[in-house]
Amino acid sequence: MFTITESAAEAINQLTAAQDVQVQGGLRMTLSGLPEDGAALSVEITAHPAPGDDVVDAAGTQVFLARETRVRLTDKILDVRKDINGHFTFLVANPH
């Protein structure tokens, strides 16, 4: 099952608030291939899921996944790092 770390959820909440996205908004993710193969992960803050997206809810924080992305991220964890300039980088990791 795809999970979201607490720090990733906090980052998503900060980004949706900064972009004035309503409560039903969240982070939309697409993956160009398998994470193990170094596939590019694209993220965007959006007001609602795209048609056909799966919605992952973590205590009110929403992540929208294109169906093929959801399959590729089964049993993965979404985490985030914040650089010294305050920019977030989302990463997909294997559970420990």
Side-chain angles (χ1 to χ4, degrees):
M1 175 190 214
F2 180 70
T3 57
I4 303 165
T5 66
E6 186 176 320
S7 56
E10 289 173 13
I12 294 166
N13 292 338
Q14 287 178 25
L15 291 168
T16 55
Q19 294 190 25
D20 199 27
V21 174
Q22 301 299 321
V23 175
Q24 68 271 19
L27 180 79
R28 184 162 196 274
M29 297 176 52
T30 55
L31 194 62
S32 64
L34 295 174
E36 297 82 14
D37 296 336
L41 176 67
S42 299
V43 297
E44 68 176 317
I45 298 298
T46 183
H48 49 80
D53 279 357
D54 288 333
V55 178
V56 178
D57 188 291
T61 300
Q62 296 188 104
V63 174
F64 310 132
L65 302 171
R67 291 203 190 272
E68 65 276 3
T69 299
R70 176 75 183 247
V71 170
R72 293 174 179 153
L73 295 179
T74 300
D75 296 327
K76 303 290 185 210
I77 297 171
L78 178 65
D79 200 4
V80 69
R81 299 288 182 261
K82 190 173 185 179
D83 68 18
I84 60 172
N85 297 317
H87 297 112
F88 295 111
T89 300
F90 289 94
L91 9 127
V92 174
N94 290 314
H96 299 286

